Amino acid sequence: MVGVIVAAHGVLAYGLMQVRELRGAIAGVAPVFVSMVTPAPKAAPPPVTPPAPRMAPPAAKRVITAEPTPPPSPAPFTAAAPPPEPVSTAAAAQAGPAPTAPPPRLIPASAVRYLEAPVLVYPRASRRAGEAGHVVLRVLIDEAGLPRQVLVNQSSGFARLDEAATTAVQKARFKPYSDNGQALAAWALVPLSFDLEK
């Protein structure tokens, strides 16, 4: 019976589709699109804060009286020794200013004596270039006769010759200058010559 009803409905639908006006009306109807939207999640309820506990009234303070304790006995007093005075300050205050040694004097060229005379080495480049000249060095000779400081007092005009003269005097050894039998440091002027003909 159900099959007959379904078949009858199918025939009726087919017949209606054959009618021209009905077919145009069905074709003109726009299709309907349905989208399924998921509902937004419900916001979580705000957390419930428990009510603040009520504070109990403060208990009454009990006063306890006790025997006063005697203060501790003071430690025996010992006097601290004063800090030692710096030796350098005390010695300087007692001794007074230290005497300064007089600066070395300049001795005449005639007072200069050699134990080992300076040996001049003529630079090859200077000889090839035709460089010649006269150098005067100012030399500080110490109490042992060693040249402690060598300065160019008068240049030859050529740096290579001045340097060669300085090196030669630094290797020399002098007889110490003495005054009343005591060896003293002294400055001396030492002349040296570079001659191409020698």
Side-chain angles (χ1 to χ4, degrees):
M1 178 81 174
V2 175
V4 174
I5 294 173
V6 171
H9 277 90
V11 170
L12 180 63
Y14 178 74
L16 287 175
M17 290 301 289
Q18 297 304 318
V19 178
R20 196 180 296 176
E21 289 89 18
L22 187 59
R23 201 179 333 161
I26 292 175
V29 176
V32 177
F33 296 101
V34 178
S35 64
M36 302 298 284
V37 178
T38 56
K42 291 183 179 178
V48 178
T49 56
R54 291 188 179 181
M55 299 295 288
K61 293 182 181 177
R62 293 191 316 183
V63 178
I64 300 173
T65 57
E67 293 289 325
T69 57
S73 60
F77 176 75
T78 55
E85 225 178 290
V87 178
S88 59
T89 307
Q94 291 176 358
T100 58
R105 70 168 80 173
L106 179 65
I107 60 174
S110 59
V112 177
R113 301 281 184 259
Y114 293 105
L115 297 175
E116 293 178 32
V119 179
L120 277 179
V121 177
Y122 214 118
R124 289 183 184 174
S126 294
R127 193 178 287 276
R128 280 194 302 262
E131 297 174 353
H134 187 72
V135 184
V136 178
L137 299 175
R138 184 179 173 93
V139 184
L140 177 61
I141 304 167
D142 68 3
E143 296 85 355
L146 300 174
R148 288 294 170 202
Q149 195 172 0
V150 180
L151 306 171
V152 177
N153 193 60
Q154 178 184 337
S155 174
S156 65
F158 301 100
R160 280 190 291 253
L161 297 181
D162 294 347
E163 188 177 334
T166 302
T167 302
V169 170
Q170 286 172 340
K171 294 178 181 176
R173 296 297 172 259
F174 298 86
K175 184 176 180 184
Y177 173 73
S178 62
D179 187 18
N180 293 330
Q182 181 181 3
L184 299 172
W187 287 98
L189 295 178
V190 178
L192 298 168
S193 293
F194 290 91
D195 193 355
L196 285 169
E197 296 179 1
K198 290 185 180 180

